[in-house]
Amino acid sequence: MQHEDLEKRQRDSLEKEETKKVLIIGTVSCVTKSREGPSPSFIAVPNSQLSEEEKEAKRRLKKRLRMQVKVDSLQNSIRHARRRKDATTENIQQNKLDELLEKEHEIIQEMQFGSDSSSNSYSLNNLKEKAKPFVEEVSKALVYSQAAKNALGEGISKESQISNAVKLLKHMTRGTQELSMFQDEAALWGYTRQKFYERALLLCASLGRIQLPCQEHVMGSSLDPKLREQQQLRQQIWCMLTSNKVRKVCSIGCGPGNDLVGMLSFLRLHHNDEGDDVNILDKVLLMDWSIDEWKAAIIGPLNDILKQKGFLNDIDTVFCDITKNFNDDGNKDALQQNPFDFDLFSISYLLSETRGKWGPFLKALVSNAKPGAMFYFAEPVPWQLHRFVEFFTQELQFIWLDSSMDYPIFQKADRRAGPSVLFAMKKEVEQK
């Protein structure tokens, strides 16, 4: 009963998780013993049954993950200080960041990772740095556009926009949002100022992580069998993503279109000819329950920016309700867009908002999607993603692209250091 009450309180407080990003790990998997030392075979056991060696490894790993939360927070603080042209704050936070990165390096050495994997943290930071120029360029063009200036109007400040956006976000996180809330244009622009850059960068950097080598597990000298399987799947997915096979992208619950910009940034970095930014994608479809409101305020100006830069022709938009089946009358326009023919679907911060009502919609989507279709998910915490994995184990193959990426011991835990990111690919049809 106490566990159920705790779980309910955690789920009812999701809006706090995005800012707190506290790593709390309860029941974890542990390593079973063998004569030659810890085996890379994992089973779920209570935390109290961990050996001293396993507890020490867990302590170091948690320390490393918590360090990453602090690094991410300082990097965001520096970015906001630069936007405000606040050199004093920027210098103070940069000094703190330099000190943290030095400590992070010491922790990695203490964990005794292999030479390739010890650089993964720095590789991830490099991925973010490479993604930043394009994401920043588009984000700034959007939030400083004439449409954004018009939305301010008389007596409406940026602070007021952000305040309205926070109220909207809280309702979205609780699943209590109403369509009338999205008719507040100031709230939509405030939401875009707060979330657009961060979530576009998250998608681009998360996909970039697929190319990083699996880390040797802290408990053994060889890769866990699950990680070997993951490495093979990563290579297969990376080939799909970088061989010009992603031509049609659909963002479900698209909001202001941040996932699209993250995807464009990734494709420009990894498989488009240098200097050739024309026709990166053949078709883009943005779907949302409040698509008319997002299109009028944000997506329309975003479409103009991307067209002017030559990145795509047009953004198609359509209403969809993920809490209803595709066959529902409300989703008939979405069905007419032939959504099952797309190469990649992104669904960010939507499963938690809809509280498990997404089942019939995603069942139809996964069942009818073509073999090899790919799915990107991001959520503040992984509890709904765990349900998704359970529902679609037969149809999809999965890799985690968050802090649990190289640690099967933590992939079933109910927290991450930062957002929870899951990637899936539909299995090929077996020949009889």
Side-chain angles (χ1 to χ4, degrees):
M1 182 63 69
Q2 290 180 348
H3 176 74
E4 292 176 356
D5 291 342
L6 175 60
E7 185 178 37
K8 184 177 185 301
R9 289 198 302 271
Q10 291 169 343
R11 294 180 180 181
D12 289 342
S13 301
L14 279 174
E15 69 272 10
K16 298 180 182 178
E17 298 298 334
E18 281 195 286
T19 55
K20 289 169 63 178
K21 293 183 179 179
V22 177
L23 181 65
I24 305 172
I25 300 178
T27 301
V28 297
S29 301
C30 90
V31 183
T32 57
K33 295 285 186 176
S34 71
R35 291 184 180 180
E36 297 179 355
S39 161
S41 174
F42 297 89
I43 57 174
V45 297
N47 205 26
S48 60
Q49 295 182 22
L50 290 171
S51 69
E52 290 303 317
E53 184 182 5
E54 292 157 355
K55 288 179 181 178
E56 178 64 16
K58 175 186 171 183
R59 182 193 67 79
R60 291 174 179 172
L61 180 57
K62 288 175 68 175
K63 187 176 180 181
R64 165 70 183 84
L65 297 179
R66 285 174 176 150
M67 183 71 71
Q68 185 60 49
V69 172
K70 295 179 181 178
V71 169
D72 291 343
S73 177
L74 283 172
Q75 287 175 334
N76 285 334
S77 178
I78 292 170
R79 178 172 61 84
H80 288 304
R82 287 173 180 168
R83 181 176 293 179
R84 299 192 307 268
K85 297 181 180 180
D86 183 351
T88 301
T89 300
E90 180 183 349
N91 289 334
I92 292 173
Q93 300 298 72
Q94 185 63 55
N95 289 336
K96 291 181 179 179
L97 178 60
D98 292 340
E99 292 177 3
L100 271 180
L101 291 176
E102 183 62 31
K103 292 180 181 178
E104 183 184 47
H105 182 64
E106 294 174 359
I107 293 172
I108 291 174
Q109 289 182 325
E110 182 182 2
M111 293 173 75
Q112 295 181 340
F113 287 151
S115 58
D116 290 336
S117 57
S118 65
S119 63
N120 275 13
S121 173
Y122 299 99
S123 297
L124 177 58
N125 289 333
N126 289 337
L127 290 172
K128 290 183 177 180
E129 290 300 319
K130 290 179 180 178
K132 279 182 180 179
F134 177 79
V135 175
E136 281 188 347
E137 177 186 355
V138 176
S139 299
K140 287 181 178 179
L142 183 61
V143 299
Y144 293 117
S145 65
Q146 188 60 48
K149 294 176 182 177
N150 294 341
L152 284 173
E154 294 185 6
I156 302 177
S157 64
K158 292 180 182 178
E159 290 74 18
S160 176
Q161 282 189 347
I162 292 175
S163 176
N164 292 344
V166 169
K167 294 177 183 177
L168 174 62
L169 180 61
K170 286 183 177 180
H171 281 287
M172 293 170 68
T173 314
R174 294 170 180 156
T176 58
Q177 69 271 28
E178 298 177 0
L179 193 60
S180 59
M181 298 175 182
F182 294 87
Q183 294 168 358
D184 182 348
E185 191 172 350
L188 298 187
W189 276 105
Y191 180 100
T192 302
R193 291 180 185 278
Q194 276 200 305
K195 298 298 181 183
F196 190 96
Y197 172 88
E198 172 189 330
R199 293 184 178 174
L201 192 63
L202 174 65
L203 185 146
C204 183
S206 295
L207 295 188
R209 297 182 79 167
I210 297 173
Q211 68 176 318
L212 301 180
C214 284
Q215 296 188 1
E216 291 184 355
H217 197 273
V218 295
M219 298 303 301
S221 59
S222 60
L223 284 179
D224 181 284
K226 291 183 180 179
L227 287 184
R228 283 197 288 269
E229 294 177 8
Q230 292 273 294
Q231 185 67 57
Q232 295 175 356
L233 182 56
R234 286 191 207 177
Q235 292 171 353
Q236 183 181 357
I237 292 173
W238 186 255
C239 181
M240 293 284 289
L241 288 172
T242 58
S243 59
N244 211 29
K245 293 183 179 179
V246 178
R247 304 298 304 177
K248 299 178 181 179
V249 172
C250 176
S251 178
I252 301 174
C254 63
N258 39 259
D259 279 4
L260 168 60
V261 173
M263 192 68 219
L264 288 172
S265 178
F266 173 83
L267 295 176
R268 291 178 73 249
L269 283 171
H270 296 288
H271 84 162
N272 206 57
D273 294 336
E274 185 176 355
D276 181 12
D277 290 331
V278 179
N279 296 326
I280 297 177
L281 294 170
D282 295 332
K283 185 174 178 63
V284 171
L285 178 62
L286 303 188
M287 307 170 71
D288 201 284
W289 177 64
S290 52
I291 192 63
D292 291 339
E293 289 73 17
W294 281 116
K295 183 176 182 180
I298 314 293
I299 296 175
L302 176 63
N303 187 39
D304 293 340
I305 291 169
L306 296 177
K307 282 180 66 176
Q308 290 172 3
K309 295 180 179 298
F311 299 136
L312 45 80
N313 292 322
D314 269 307
I315 298 174
D316 294 325
T317 59
V318 68
F319 170 90
C320 86
D321 186 348
I322 196 174
T323 67
K324 307 292 184 183
N325 198 308
F326 255 118
N327 295 324
D328 187 87
D329 287 343
N331 286 328
K332 62 182 180 180
D333 290 340
L335 198 57
Q336 290 177 355
Q337 291 283 342
N338 194 20
F340 307 130
D341 189 46
F342 282 76
D343 304 311
L344 188 144
F345 301 88
S346 72
I347 304 176
S348 295
Y349 294 80
L350 184 61
L351 302 192
S352 298
E353 290 176 13
T354 50
R355 293 296 195 279
K357 298 177 182 178
W358 43 261
F361 183 96
L362 291 185
K363 178 63 177 176
L365 179 62
V366 172
S367 298
N368 290 283
K370 59 188 179 183
M374 293 172 282
F375 302 82
Y376 165 89
F377 295 90
E379 294 289 336
V381 290
W383 63 286
Q384 286 290 295
L385 296 180
H386 288 318
R387 291 190 61 188
F388 182 83
V389 172
E390 291 175 2
F391 288 167
F392 297 107
T393 298
Q394 299 300 318
E395 296 96 333
L396 302 173
Q397 296 173 288
F398 301 96
I399 54 174
W400 290 94
L401 299 177
D402 52 31
S403 62
S404 71
M405 182 175 178
D406 289 323
Y407 308 101
I409 191 173
F410 290 142
Q411 286 178 358
K412 291 186 179 181
D414 60 357
R415 291 293 183 273
R416 298 290 190 266
S420 306
V421 180
L422 180 70
F423 196 88
M425 184 171 69
K426 187 169 182 181
K427 299 176 181 178
E428 298 289 339
V429 178
E430 295 184 2
Q431 299 294 329
K432 296 183 178 179

